[in-house]
Amino acid sequence: MQKRIIFLADFDYFFAQCEELRNPTIKNKPVVVGVYSGRTEESGAVSTSNYIARNYGVKSGLPLFMAKHKLEGTDALFFKVDHEYYSKISNRIMDIFRTYASNIEQVSIDEAYLDVTQQVGGSFEKARDYAQTIKADVNTQVGLSFTIGIGPNKLLAKIACDSQKPNGLTIIKPEAAEAFLAPLSVDHLLGVGKKTTVRMEQMGIKTIGELAKYDVQRLIETFGKALGIYFHNAANAVDNEPVQEQGEAESISKIGTLKQDTHDIEFILQKTSELIEPIYKELTEKGYSFKTISIYAVNVDLNGKTRSVTLEQPAKDKDTILRNVRLLFERFLDESSLDVRRVGVRVAGFSKEELKQKQLSSFFYH
Ligand code: DGT
Ligand code: CA
Ligand code: CA
């Protein structure tokens, strides 16, 4: 197994930070985002809160009336969850991540693994700088802070990430993994919930260190083969799970570097046409129609910019992509006088209606 370097990025107090982004003047006040159940005006629970509100004991899951009580006399602000807005911000950041990693795996609206092994040449020293670069880039482009955990696999990246928040950056090198994990309680491992924790406690296992040394055969007898081996490996910091996008793609994108820095539209479109080929191939293979087309451009000052267009009706032909990429780049070059170094194309907003129809008709005609 090749030595890998994996990041886990987790956005800080995400929904509440999005609300701060929309309205920066609230930043120094307690901010609470709530899910209102609608039964009465006040019924519902806290989805998340900023760190100022957390100091008052207001955390995810707390009933809203209790949150109001704890924050009485402060200038706290309450918001309703706005998933659509948070998803937009999340997508923008995920797109930026894609430009920095060979593979990314989004695990939730505010979390993604990045495999950056190649980008940092397998060096943990370079990885720290690289993580700072990504943080700074997202901060200038989107204005959001997040925490990065770095490790030789997903398991350690996750544990590194959870160990210091917000705006954290923690590295667990392979040689430090055992010492880092040993004192932690077993429920830090993915898949160890309340039931398993109790069970392990009965076996005299409280910490990951104790689990690591526990006889693997007896773990297998208790939890079955797959889980027993998994617990044993995880406790010993062994995790070979690849970083890979789950399920169906939410977008298809390709990015490339231009042969020379340029402001020439035709030169740029020659490159984007090359990028569109594999995108179009994947679209047709999957039978996707798309509604959104985006371009990505990195200027010589290394600032990345995206521009998007959303179609009135879903389309599935290559011409629509080519035409809109041209339009977007024409506008982009008009707005920016800097030369462009890297370009990217992304299509998203997929629907599969066409595919269903096609399958149905081929079923009838064959
Ligand atoms: P963090 O990562 O500790 O700085 O804070 P968050 O708020 O980013 O927490 P995280 O990463 O566990 O969850 C990401 C988002 O998911 C969070 O902003 C709101 C939502 N969320 C988390 N826990 C709950 C919950 O218990 N109920 C509801 N409705 N939403 C939640
Ligand atoms: Ca978070
Ligand atoms: Ca999270």
Side-chain angles (χ1 to χ4, degrees), residues 173-229:
K173 292 185 188 173
E175 58 271 25
E178 211 179 310
F180 203 102
L181 291 182
L184 301 177
S185 57
V186 288
D187 61 358
H188 281 79
L189 298 176
L190 197 72
V192 180
K194 281 205 185 94
K195 249 173 85 183
T196 309
T197 305
V198 170
R199 197 69 206 274
M200 287 186 180
E201 210 170 316
Q202 289 163 349
M203 298 161 78
I205 309 168
K206 276 193 168 165
T207 65
I208 298 181
E210 287 159 358
L211 180 60
K213 288 197 213 98
Y214 203 84
D215 180 49
V216 63
Q217 275 316 323
R218 287 184 57 200
L219 287 178
I220 292 172
E221 280 159 27
T222 315
F223 299 104
K225 191 166 177 190
L227 262 186
I229 292 176

Side-chain angles (χ1 to χ4, degrees), residues 10-15 35 46-48 51 54 60-61 110-111 165:
D10 184 318
F11 310 156
D12 300 324
Y13 63 102
F14 183 50
F15 294 180
V35 190
V46 173
S47 171
T48 196
Y51 280 77
R54 288 182 198 192
S60 299
D110 86 324
E111 248 171 82
K165 281 179 172 188

Side-chain angles (χ1 to χ4, degrees), residues 13-189:
Y13 63 102
F14 183 50
F15 294 180
Q17 205 186 165
C18 290
E19 295 299 341
E20 290 181 356
L21 207 60
R22 174 146 59 183
N23 185 359
T25 58
I26 68 177
K27 245 189 142 133
N28 51 2
K29 299 174 181 172
V31 175
V32 180
V33 177
V35 190
Y36 292 81
S37 65
R39 227 174 297 132
T40 69
E41 189 135 319
E42 295 298 294
S43 67
V46 173
S47 171
T48 196
S49 53
N50 68 359
Y51 280 77
I52 302 174
R54 288 182 198 192
N55 281 337
Y56 290 89
V58 173
K59 303 208 163 100
S60 299
L62 189 75
L64 279 171
F65 77 90
M66 287 176 72
K68 294 234 155 101
H69 181 70
K70 283 178 191 281
L71 291 166
E72 221 165 275
T74 72
D75 47 5
L77 291 154
F78 288 76
F79 297 88
K80 264 194 193 126
V81 285
D82 180 354
H83 254 285
E84 210 182 308
Y85 170 60
Y86 310 146
S87 300
K88 270 192 199 143
I89 292 181
S90 171
N91 288 339
R92 280 172 63 201
I93 302 173
M94 296 298 165
D95 277 349
I96 297 172
F97 286 167
R98 280 188 189 92
T99 70
Y100 281 102
S102 307
N103 273 326
I104 90 158
E105 177 179 338
Q106 187 175 346
V107 278
S108 71
I109 192 168
D110 86 324
E111 248 171 82
Y113 290 101
L114 284 71
D115 188 328
V116 299
T117 311
Q118 277 179 27
Q119 286 75 5
V120 301
S123 152
F124 278 90
E125 278 65 40
K126 285 203 187 119
R128 180 185 294 278
D129 291 344
Y130 200 63
Q132 296 287 21
T133 306
I134 303 176
K135 273 165 168 266
D137 192 3
V138 171
N139 192 41
T140 32
Q141 288 198 57
V142 186
L144 202 114
S145 81
F146 57 94
T147 293
I148 295 186
I150 306 179
N153 54 38
K154 283 163 50 171
L155 170 95
L156 289 164
K158 168 83 178 154
I159 286 181
C161 184
D162 288 342
S163 73
Q164 198 213 341
K165 281 179 172 188
N167 201 9
L169 176 52
T170 306
I171 303 183
I172 306 180
K173 292 185 188 173
E175 58 271 25
E178 211 179 310
F180 203 102
L181 291 182
L184 301 177
S185 57
V186 288
D187 61 358
H188 281 79
L189 298 176

Side-chain angles (χ1 to χ4, degrees), residues 249 252 254 277-288:
I252 303 175
K254 288 277 173 285
E277 287 303 320
I279 294 178
Y280 182 68
K281 184 161 176 275
E282 193 174 337
L283 279 173
T284 45
E285 277 168 8
K286 291 184 169 160
Y288 284 154

